[in-house]
Amino acid sequence: MSEQTRFLLSENDLPKYWYNINADMPVATEPVLNPQTLEPVTPDFLSVLFPMELIQQEISKERYIEIPQEVREIYKLYRPTPLIRAKRLEKALDTPAHIYYKYEGVSQAGSHKPNTAIPQAFYNKAAGVHALTTETGAGQWGSALALACNFFDLDLEVYMVRVSYDNKPYRRVMMQNFGAKVFASPTNLTNFGRSILEKDPNSPGSLGIAISEAVEVAATSGGKKKYSLGSVLNYVLLHQTVIGEESLMQMDLAGEYPDVVIGCVGGGSNFAGLAYPFLRMNLKEGKKTRLLAVEPTATPSLTKGIYTFDYGDSARMAPIMKMYTLGHTFMPAPIHAGGLRYHGMSPSLSALYKGGYIEAVAVKQLATFDAALQFSRAEGIIPAPESAHAIRATIDEALDAKQKGEKRVILFNLSGHGNFDMTAYQAYLEGKLDDFIYPEEEIQRAMKDLPKVDLPA
Ligand SMILES: *Cc1c(COP(=O)(O)O)cnc(C)c1O
């Protein structure tokens, strides 16, 4: 074991391949369905929204997929990212556990999201696409895609959830600096947006609604615009595995191997990006690392949702997937971890959780901000409120190890910094944040709107 604090790789160590979990899935997954016909989707249907290369990655069973040279060149602006041992946090907790974190906040957008934004922009550009549409909640995904579209000279329209548009003006300006057009969703620019505004002119919006608007614009553009999604899909998780591949090398430098790997989950991409290469080691090399996904009690898809077919968006335009879901009409409470306010979960992660290959826990908002402050004061980085969920679970693991007198090695994904989230921290410091507990009635209501899928066995 090394006494070093930071474990750094050189540019030459940047992985040349992404790892595709679909080559090694130990459990069955279900096909993605067309939202109109409820039949398995055809590449034709998907090609309205996505370029062919990404569709192929979505269904590929190849274990390793090469990272294009053009993508690696841009990755090099911020990758390999550091792996850091949180020695000062260990000391503050007085725990025998060793805590490591992979820091994805060093990207220009401040999170892990450029890891997929950059290849998505690249593949669209290569397919001759001129413009992309997307949604953004907290603004993390929008800023990552704005950055990437800027590098590949693509136009970008971002449908930003209204509460975030109002509460997070700086993320909006960041997107605009990179040349993106940003709209507060629901807008009056789409049929779906107008239908929501008719019912509720003050609608705060949701990720589901914003996805529907971005999808509608791409689908009705006559092929001029494609749609880009920042989480949930197989190829997004694939692109994020660059995080775990680097971490395997860095844990090796540290001379340790994690007993538990932790990440927060919205759609599942940063967690899977870190965890799937470690899952490969579990499946193929006999390692026994626990993989722990952490979600908010306000949107508890894994811990309280059901595993079933559901629409990916509110307007039922996006494909139907089998996943853990709270229902596509579920309206999450306005917690400050905007990136975790999604009703569903990545299908591969859902299947692995169902099969017992992954664990999940839900944590409350106040305890999460407590953990964020404890981490900031020990390590000097203010985490994104999303990432703070992983920190909460990490601290709980470290305290559990202390209680049991175990030297546990913990690795978590610090998926982003929180430098744009001062409104949330201010609310916390002023005692204005609440816990949103399991929204039972709202989930029961939304469950009534699930699609009735009847696939042949
Ligand atoms: C978007 C985001 C998340 C949640 O998305 P996943 O796809 O589950 O990773 C988590 N952390 C940060 C910093 C984000 O921006």
Side-chain angles (χ1 to χ4, degrees):
M1 189 206 81
S2 163
E3 279 309 314
Q4 247 171 275
T5 302
R6 288 159 63 89
F7 298 91
L8 305 178
L9 299 171
S10 79
E11 223 171 89
N12 296 332
D13 298 320
L14 184 68
K16 295 193 171 62
Y17 295 90
W18 292 303
Y19 169 55
N20 181 10
I21 189 68
N22 284 326
D24 295 324
M25 273 304 262
V27 284
T29 48
E30 300 288 344
V32 170
L33 308 183
N34 179 315
Q36 278 109 44
T37 63
L38 305 189
E39 300 282 330
V41 286
T42 56
D44 268 3
F45 171 82
L46 292 175
S47 69
V48 174
L49 298 180
F50 309 110
M52 204 41 89
E53 191 69 31
L54 289 176
I55 296 171
Q56 273 157 8
Q57 289 184 357
E58 186 65 19
I59 55 180
S60 171
K61 296 256 192 262
E62 231 176 289
R63 182 167 290 115
Y64 295 101
I65 294 182
E66 194 168 356
I67 307 177
Q69 187 54 35
E70 293 88 337
V71 170
R72 296 180 76 241
E73 281 309 313
I74 295 186
Y75 273 178
K76 284 178 188 169
L77 292 173
Y78 66 97
R79 305 208 73 84
T81 61
L83 182 111
I84 302 170
R85 174 140 171 232
K87 289 182 187 164
R88 293 176 51 87
L89 179 63
E90 290 170 13
K91 201 159 173 201
L93 296 171
D94 186 27
T95 174
H98 288 185
I99 303 173
Y100 294 85
Y101 61 97
K102 179 69 165 162
Y103 187 34
E104 290 294 306
V106 297
S107 83
Q108 287 74 6
S111 76
H112 65 291
K113 292 209 167 78
N115 298 337
T116 185
I118 293 161
Q120 289 195 41
F122 167 75
Y123 290 121
N124 273 288
K125 184 71 181 184
V129 174
H130 294 292
L132 295 182
T133 70
T134 197
E135 72 290 333
T136 197
Q140 291 271 24
W141 169 240
S143 6
L145 193 62
L147 175 85
C149 283
N150 167 61
F151 285 138
F152 288 101
D153 197 19
L154 288 164
D155 290 341
L156 175 63
E157 286 175 30
V158 182
Y159 293 81
M160 184 171 191
V161 177
R162 152 112 14 224
V163 276
S164 301
Y165 186 94
D166 293 337
N167 295 337
K168 301 200 168 183
Y170 301 127
R171 281 265 168 215
R172 185 211 317 158
V173 175
M174 185 175 187
M175 292 184 253
Q176 289 163 339
N177 277 4
F178 286 122
K181 288 201 194 88
V182 188
F183 307 105
S185 166
T187 69
N188 54 20
L189 301 172
T190 64
N191 287 331
F192 188 65
R194 283 187 292 269
S195 77
I196 297 285
L197 289 175
E198 256 163 47
K199 277 177 261 162
D200 180 6
N202 297 317
S203 167
S206 71
L207 263 186
I209 294 170
I211 294 175
S212 300
E213 290 206 273
V215 166
E216 181 182 326
V217 171
T220 56
S221 71
K224 287 204 273 299
K225 301 173 186 174
K226 299 268 186 216
Y227 165 70
S228 180
L229 186 62
S231 189
V232 181
L233 299 177
N234 291 336
Y235 63 74
V236 176
L237 275 56
L238 171 80
H239 300 155
Q240 293 295 352
T241 59
V242 67
I243 302 173
E245 294 299 339
E246 287 179 4
S247 300
L248 278 169
M249 290 188 259
Q250 288 164 308
M251 288 305 302
D252 212 39
L253 290 179
E256 299 209 89
Y257 195 85
D259 298 305
V260 52
V261 165
I262 299 176
C264 65
V265 287
S269 75
N270 86 85
F271 171 70
L274 177 64
Y276 282 1
F278 287 93
L279 177 59
R280 175 183 73 224
M281 300 297 279
N282 283 358
L283 295 171
K284 309 205 89 74
E285 310 285 337
K287 297 285 191 191
K288 294 205 159 52
T289 301
R290 289 167 48 223
L291 308 170
L292 178 61
V294 191
E295 59 188 12
T297 49
T299 52
S301 334
L302 288 173
T303 54
K304 300 284 186 182
I306 57 171
Y307 186 49
T308 186
F309 283 99
D310 195 10
Y311 300 94
D313 69 330
S314 305
R316 310 173 175 202
M317 295 176 66
I320 293 175
M321 293 166 291
K322 185 153 185 190
M323 58 183 174
Y324 277 89
T325 180
L326 301 167
H328 63 279
T329 54
F330 175 74
M331 275 296 235
I335 53 165
H336 281 276
L340 306 183
R341 294 174 73 232
Y342 182 63
H343 66 271
M345 188 54 64
S346 135
S348 67
L349 201 60
S350 294
L352 289 163
Y353 175 65
K354 178 83 181 165
Y357 293 87
I358 279 168
E359 302 170 24
V361 65
V363 296
K364 292 182 197 169
Q365 180 161 257
L366 286 174
T368 298
F369 276 84
D370 277 348
L373 247 63
Q374 201 170 4
F375 180 81
S376 306
R377 289 171 184 178
E379 297 294 321
I381 298 173
I382 297 176
E386 290 84 358
S387 320
H389 290 72
I391 298 175
R392 176 72 264 163
T394 296
I395 292 177
D396 291 344
E397 283 284 331
L399 293 177
D400 182 61
K402 174 178 174 178
Q403 204 210 339
K404 295 180 177 144
E406 275 175 39
K407 200 213 107 183
R408 204 173 294 174
V409 178
I410 305 169
L411 166 62
F412 79 89
N413 199 354
L414 186 55
S415 53
H417 68 63
N419 294 359
F420 285 91
D421 298 280
M422 294 306 156
T423 320
Y425 282 103
Q426 184 179 17
Y428 174 70
L429 292 172
E430 291 173 355
K432 289 181 184 153
L433 284 196
D434 288 320
D435 277 333
F436 292 96
I437 310 302
Y438 173 44
E440 172 128 34
E441 276 173 26
E442 173 60 17
I443 295 172
Q444 292 304 329
R445 187 199 58 69
M447 288 299 176
K448 298 203 178 84
D449 300 327
L450 290 173
K452 309 264 178 301
V453 174
D454 203 7
L455 281 189

